[in-house]
Amino acid sequence: MLSRLLAPKVKASAHCDLPCGVYDPAQARIEAESVKAVQEKMAANDDPHFQARAAVIKEQRAELAKHHVSVLWSDYFKPPHYEKYPELHQLVNDALKALSAAKASTAPATGQKALDYIARIDKIFWETKKA
């Protein structure tokens, strides 16, 4: 009985803990650009200490990029977006997989592939903002 008295009378729902409504694929792009830049620096420097530090930074930035792409997918994009852009689910999955590959690789081509997917997500994102 006490739990019924203390239960909220109105239910509220939001897409996150604090619905700010601010989303932008630029966050993912900036982190992915860092991944590629670090990969390029790693290719130009054979110092083992530099390589170790760079690997940690690259992996952290790839994780951040994955986080930002995931937030767009889970919090920003809604069913009407997926109806209009049926490739969006696959595109997000491909971007996340590419970021995982870039996280594990020192080849700048893997970083570029992730950037290419993020650019496609960015294009769709801004088209949805116009609607």
Side-chain angles (χ1 to χ4, degrees):
M1 180 158 155
L2 184 61
S3 62
R4 274 191 285 153
L5 288 173
L6 298 176
K9 303 293 183 234
V10 177
K11 278 191 172 182
S13 64
H15 67 274
C16 66
D17 292 340
L18 182 63
C20 63
V22 177
Y23 299 99
D24 195 327
Q27 294 171 302
R29 180 189 45 78
I30 290 167
E31 300 301 348
E33 285 177 353
S34 294
V35 170
K36 184 181 176 201
V38 169
Q39 289 170 324
E40 290 169 345
K41 290 178 185 246
M42 290 176 82
N45 189 325
D46 60 358
D47 174 50
H49 297 291
F50 177 86
Q51 291 285 326
R53 288 187 356 258
V56 169
I57 292 167
K58 174 182 61 73
E59 291 173 10
Q60 289 171 340
R61 298 299 172 204
E63 274 303 312
L64 286 169
K66 287 172 61 174
H67 167 76
H68 291 303
V69 170
S70 295
V71 166
L72 288 170
W73 180 73
S74 63
D75 294 355
Y76 174 76
F77 290 118
K78 303 289 183 227
H81 301 138
Y82 295 116
E83 290 168 14
K84 186 170 181 179
Y85 304 96
E87 73 278 16
L88 193 52
H89 282 298
Q90 187 63 50
L91 184 57
V92 168
N93 186 57
D94 291 343
L96 293 171
K97 298 288 186 192
L99 286 161
S100 291
K103 178 181 173 183
S105 174
T106 59
T110 61
Q112 183 59 54
K113 187 173 182 179
L115 281 166
D116 293 344
Y117 283 121
I118 291 168
R120 291 170 56 196
I121 293 168
D122 182 78
K123 183 178 184 299
I124 291 172
F125 173 85
W126 289 108
E127 287 175 7
T128 67
K129 295 293 271 187
K130 291 179 192 173

